[in-house]
Amino acid sequence: MNQNKKPRALYIHVPFCRSICFYCDFCHRFYQEKEADEWLLALRREISHYRLNTDLKTVYIGGGTPTALSGRQLDSLLSLLDPYTKNVLEYTIEINPETLDEQKAAILTAHGINRASIGLQTADGELLQKIGRHHTTADVTETVRLLKEHGIDNISLDLMYSLPDQTMESLRESIRFALSLQPKHLSLYSLTVEENTVFGRKGVTPLDEETEADMYEEICRVLPEAGYRQYEISNFALPGYESRHNLVYWHYEDFYGLSAGASGMEDHCRYDKPAGLSEYLQDPLRRDLIPLPQEDEMFETVMMGLRLKDGISLSVFQERFGMTFEEAFSGTAEKLLGEGKLLIKDGYLKCADAYYHLLNSVLSDLLPV
Ligand code: SF4
């Protein structure tokens, strides 16, 4: 493929964790040094096979817990990526607070990592234990300090709400604590309980819908007051610190996905890498391809784009699909615009503020039949 047409964003999934959180259904294994070494060899093979774009603009190393790797392994992982990250604008790594030390922080800086996403989840010590997290707020404070000391001050914090027994005051306290660390970006996710998690097996449930909606409303009130613009349903940033990598997903652009548990999108196809580590180690080049018919691409472009407060550029949509939004969704587009659920402003299609939290039900009207 022509270098200019290759994806400019890369996601790598590190499938190891030092402990398993009760709500988590991501692809992860307990970290074992030998297995992580085997994984690095497989990843080396995968990276060289696909001849990645050497002009990547964003790289996101997620997981799992990338910093569950040893210092030596983290250095090897980032060295594998060095040839592709010369021009990268945003280079993010996810960090679990209890897994970063001085040596690892220095390794991140040496390889040009310039953004960190830290899983804080809640500042309530009891709740942290209830959800199977092993860090303390002191660990988070220390992680932020270490990162800043090593020149990484573009920091995002993840928080969760609708956790079992969580109160509004506990959420407010967590937000206060998060803001005291002066992050550039905050992501807030409500608990969803999947069957294949510890919570799923124990029959734990999130809070009732009304409380969850109240918490979301509180988040959307407090964070803008503190200067963070809500630019996506679950994401808030200081001006200029929106996640460039995640914007690739929301703009429905191509991206590479490497390693077990990752997905990618290239040239009108989505692909899934093997979900399990052993399958991946057996065949790191395996990709399960899912061709995307234009109808699906149009719907998914709208589905992802409407998550953004700014919505979707209608001229970009038309250029991409050779038809207008109204032509692509004839009938339902007029209905949703007429009902005021969607609106068009300055060439962008957006979800009206009053329906933003009900986006999924708005989208269900646009689903291809
Ligand atoms: S939430 Fe993160 S740290 Fe916890 S088990 Fe899942 S991937 Fe690992």
Side-chain angles (χ1 to χ4, degrees):
M1 192 190 284
N2 176 317
Q3 173 95 348
N4 290 331
K5 289 197 167 167
K6 287 180 169 183
R8 294 200 156 187
L10 164 66
Y11 173 77
I12 294 194
H13 189 85
V14 180
F16 303 103
C17 289
R18 295 277 177 167
S19 58
I20 304 300
C21 308
F22 298 162
Y23 54 86
C24 182
D25 76 332
F26 294 134
C27 169
H28 55 219
R29 308 255 296 197
F30 278 114
Y31 168 81
Q32 284 180 356
E33 187 178 12
K34 185 168 163 288
E35 213 170 40
D37 280 336
E38 288 165 10
W39 171 77
L40 276 166
L41 285 174
L43 186 66
R44 177 190 298 274
R45 206 175 137 210
E46 194 186 0
I47 289 175
S48 54
H49 177 83
Y50 286 113
R51 298 171 185 274
L52 305 178
N53 193 339
T54 49
D55 192 24
L56 292 174
K57 293 301 172 213
T58 67
V59 175
Y60 193 105
I61 304 179
T65 307
T67 44
L69 298 172
S70 68
R72 169 185 64 78
Q73 291 167 331
L74 192 58
D75 191 44
S76 300
L77 166 64
L78 299 179
S79 300
L80 285 178
L81 298 176
D82 281 344
Y84 308 96
T85 56
K86 290 184 293 292
N87 300 324
V88 86
L89 299 170
E90 187 186 273
Y91 194 174
T92 305
I93 190 160
E94 284 181 353
I95 294 177
N96 227 18
E98 75 273 29
T99 54
L100 190 76
D101 58 23
E102 190 83 45
Q103 183 211 11
K104 290 183 192 174
I107 290 168
L108 301 184
T109 311
H111 290 278
I113 297 267
N114 59 17
R115 185 172 184 273
S117 173
I118 303 173
L120 160 62
Q121 315 312 3
T122 167
D124 180 330
E126 266 182 43
L127 259 188
L128 280 170
Q129 284 185 3
K130 272 190 195 160
I131 62 175
R133 302 282 294 189
H134 295 274
H135 67 263
T136 62
T137 50
D139 292 328
V140 180
T141 306
E142 174 59 9
T143 300
V144 170
R145 189 197 65 75
L146 264 179
L147 288 166
K148 289 188 178 172
E149 187 181 279
H150 286 83
I152 302 172
D153 71 350
N154 186 356
I155 292 173
S156 178
L157 297 176
D158 281 359
L159 281 170
M160 295 181 78
Y161 64 99
S162 196
L163 294 170
D165 300 329
Q166 189 177 28
T167 60
M168 186 66 96
E169 192 42 41
S170 160
L171 173 66
R172 287 195 189 108
E173 183 49 38
S174 294
I175 294 176
R176 275 195 290 274
F177 174 74
L179 293 178
S180 75
L181 298 173
Q182 301 181 309
K184 304 289 194 223
H185 186 280
L186 287 151
S187 301
L188 290 102
Y189 302 108
S190 65
L191 173 70
T192 48
V193 178
E194 306 291 345
E195 274 176 23
N196 58 333
T197 60
V198 176
F199 274 173
R201 287 188 287 277
K202 283 187 176 168
V204 171
T205 52
L207 301 180
D208 61 85
E209 278 181 23
E210 202 178 320
T211 312
E212 181 175 321
D214 287 348
M215 287 185 165
Y216 183 68
E217 203 177 306
E218 178 73 0
I219 291 163
C220 297
R221 185 185 67 76
V222 171
L223 292 183
E225 278 178 12
Y228 294 80
R229 184 174 94 92
Q230 181 177 22
Y231 70 102
E232 196 266 350
I233 286 204
S234 307
N235 287 278
F236 299 75
L238 294 180
Y241 287 96
E242 296 81 7
S243 164
R244 288 174 191 255
H245 183 81
N246 288 343
L247 281 168
V248 168
Y249 304 148
W250 296 316
H251 289 154
Y252 204 64
E253 292 163 3
D254 283 359
F255 62 97
Y256 297 111
L258 299 184
S259 168
S263 297
M265 197 166 79
E266 284 176 57
D267 205 15
H268 308 288
C269 271
R270 191 179 10 256
Y271 56 84
D272 293 328
K273 298 294 300 176
L277 182 64
S278 6
E279 294 103 296
Y280 175 70
L281 294 181
Q282 266 169 24
D283 183 3
L285 305 185
R286 192 176 125 200
R287 284 174 164 185
D288 295 334
L289 291 178
I290 308 156
L292 293 166
Q294 172 156 307
E295 199 183 41
D296 290 7
E297 287 195 314
M298 289 192 299
F299 173 72
E300 288 179 12
T301 299
V302 173
M303 177 180 77
M304 296 304 280
L306 287 180
R307 294 183 62 90
L308 294 168
K309 265 269 157 151
D310 290 343
I312 302 157
S313 161
L314 289 171
S315 58
V316 170
F317 183 95
Q318 185 166 0
E319 198 177 314
R320 184 167 184 176
F321 297 112
M323 65 180 91
T324 65
F325 166 71
E326 287 89 340
E327 286 163 349
F329 296 93
S330 97
T332 46
E334 289 82 3
K335 177 174 165 286
L336 291 169
L337 288 164
E339 290 170 349
K341 293 180 177 170
L342 297 182
L343 53 94
I344 293 176
K345 195 166 171 228
D346 301 330
Y348 278 77
L349 174 77
K350 304 176 190 202
C351 184
D353 284 349
Y355 292 91
Y356 199 39
H357 64 293
L358 301 171
L359 181 60
N360 284 346
S361 89
V362 175
L363 288 169
S364 62
D365 280 348
L366 292 168
L367 265 173
V369 277

